[in-house]
Amino acid sequence: MASEITYAEVKFKNAPPAAAVEVPPETKKHEDHPQKYPPWLPWLISLLLLLVCIALALALLVVVPLFHSADQPTALQQNFVEWECITTVPQGKERVLRCCPKGWIRFQEKCYYLSDDEMSWDETVRNCTGMGSHLVVINSEAEQVFLTKELQKFPQGINFYIGLTAEAVGKWQWVDQTLLNEKAAFWRRGEPSNVPVEKCVAIHTSPEIHNWNDSRCESHHRICEVAAPSF
């Protein structure tokens, strides 16, 4: 056993020395002369990456929701299949296709539905809302004149609800929660009566522009209104 140990030691001591590892000339050259970059280059790269991240964030927060909302049909679009459209070019803007459901009438950028049946006030509100619209809110004399002319196509003596009611006597408010502007009110002579039982407002089929009347919230025709969607 001692001789085996001696042999092993002799064999180890007589082993040739390990060969030196030669480094390729190109590697030596690279190590001897490392490439240098401007000290401001990492800062520039970081700034560019930051700007790219900001741009992507803005795209996700602004652009994507806009496209998503454009793809979602409104309640009005879900309720109607047939449309009648006109092309308009607002001043300084691109061409726009404005549409109203078939059977509705258009004035400026709004669509109106004048019913040929009667409903109570509550049913009228639900009916307009169910179509994706609301009872008409009259904001100008031009709109009042337009509706008055359209009502002449119906028999005399018919009343049409508009979206004006009184939560309290004499406190008139539109269905969009805006208060009545008395300068843009078109009451008949002697109206409104301002009595507790007459809280709803209807338009008479009268050629006179001042044709509003407060009345009981019973069965009348209705005028629904909605902004004309663009396609």
Side-chain angles (χ1 to χ4, degrees), residues 153-207:
K153 301 175 183 178
F154 291 82
Q156 291 292 317
I158 294 179
N159 299 323
F160 286 78
Y161 276 131
I162 61 176
L164 188 63
T165 56
E167 292 296 327
V169 175
K171 303 294 182 181
W172 299 103
Q173 179 175 286
W174 294 104
V175 291
D176 64 359
Q177 307 304 312
T178 57
L179 297 177
L180 173 65
N181 179 5
E182 292 296 338
K183 294 182 178 180
F186 302 93
W187 299 106
R188 296 178 67 182
R189 182 176 297 180
E191 300 294 343
S193 304
N194 284 329
V195 294
V197 295
E198 296 184 349
K199 294 184 176 181
C200 298
V201 178
I203 290 182
H204 293 292
T205 53
S206 166

Side-chain angles (χ1 to χ4, degrees), residues 16-163:
V21 179
E22 293 291 335
V23 179
E26 294 183 357
T27 305
K28 285 184 177 181
K29 183 178 180 181
H30 178 73
E31 292 176 353
D32 295 341
H33 304 283
Q35 187 175 357
K36 295 183 178 180
Y37 297 98
W40 47 263
L41 185 59
W43 293 99
L44 178 60
I45 295 175
S46 299
L47 178 60
L48 292 175
L49 290 174
L50 178 61
L51 292 176
V52 170
C53 292
I54 293 175
L56 290 174
L58 290 175
L60 291 174
L61 294 174
V62 179
V63 178
V64 172
L66 287 177
F67 280 105
H68 179 72
S69 62
D71 293 338
Q72 298 299 317
T74 64
L76 186 73
Q77 294 168 349
Q78 291 175 342
N79 277 284
F80 297 95
V81 176
E82 296 186 72
W83 297 78
E84 295 176 343
C85 304
I86 62 171
T87 301
T88 61
V89 185
Q91 187 175 5
K93 297 182 179 179
E94 297 181 355
R95 189 181 301 271
V96 176
L97 188 65
R98 293 281 181 186
C99 302
C100 289
K102 187 175 182 180
W104 293 48
I105 57 177
R106 180 187 300 103
F107 176 68
Q108 295 178 352
E109 296 183 355
K110 295 180 181 179
C111 305
Y112 302 86
Y113 171 70
L114 280 64
S115 76
D116 56 5
D117 63 333
E118 297 183 352
M119 291 182 177
S120 68
W121 171 263
D122 290 337
E123 292 174 326
T124 290
V125 172
R126 289 194 296 269
N127 178 260
C128 291
T129 302
M131 292 190 294
S133 60
H134 56 77
L135 278 170
V136 63
V137 176
I138 301 174
N139 296 309
S140 67
E141 182 175 339
E143 188 176 18
Q144 170 70 12
V145 169
F146 168 78
L147 292 174
T148 298
K149 289 181 178 179
E150 290 295 326
L151 291 175
Q152 302 314 300
K153 301 175 183 178
F154 291 82
Q156 291 292 317
I158 294 179
N159 299 323
F160 286 78
Y161 276 131
I162 61 176

